[in-house]
Amino acid sequence: MTSETGDETSVRADVWLWRARFFRTRTLSTAYVRKSGLRLSQGGLTRRTDKPGASLAVGDIVTFGKGADILSVEVLGLGTRRGPAEEARTLYRPLEPKP
């Protein structure tokens, strides 16, 4: 989705995971979301989704499994492309697991 200025206000979950370099290809990202799903926290509400087209916005919390780890990250930016790793790291902030 875009605003009147052309800036994105939300992005598909699979696209964001790919842009943030959690997956090597968008196809892998899409397949992961369909098979394993994500937990999204938006505006204080948490839901599980297996839809790659689920919308993410700045401030959302995304939780998903990666290998043997469970990652929770806060979305800080949506990105406009899949850039270098340094650029991708500016799109999210890792959250510490709650004890």
Side-chain angles (χ1 to χ4, degrees):
M1 294 184 185
T2 59
S3 67
E4 293 174 6
T5 61
D7 298 329
E8 288 184 305
T9 57
S10 66
V11 68
R12 290 173 55 109
D14 62 336
V15 171
W16 186 84
L17 289 167
W18 172 69
R19 286 179 183 171
R21 297 175 89 58
F22 288 108
F23 296 92
R24 290 181 70 101
T25 67
R26 183 162 169 211
T27 302
L28 289 173
S29 175
T30 301
Y32 176 85
V33 175
R34 280 193 180 124
K35 182 179 177 193
S36 301
L38 304 171
R39 191 171 41 191
L40 303 177
S41 296
Q42 301 170 314
L45 299 173
T46 301
R47 66 184 172 100
R48 187 180 183 292
T49 185
D50 60 358
K51 307 246 186 264
S55 293
L56 291 181
V58 173
D60 291 349
I61 307 293
V62 181
T63 304
F64 61 100
K66 187 74 170 154
D69 298 324
I70 296 178
L71 302 176
S72 287
V73 296
E74 179 181 3
V75 178
L76 300 178
L78 302 178
T80 56
R81 65 186 184 125
R82 186 175 197 264
E86 289 125 19
E87 183 179 317
R89 282 191 291 272
T90 66
L91 300 180
Y92 63 92
R93 177 177 62 95
L95 301 176
E96 294 296 320
K98 294 181 181 180

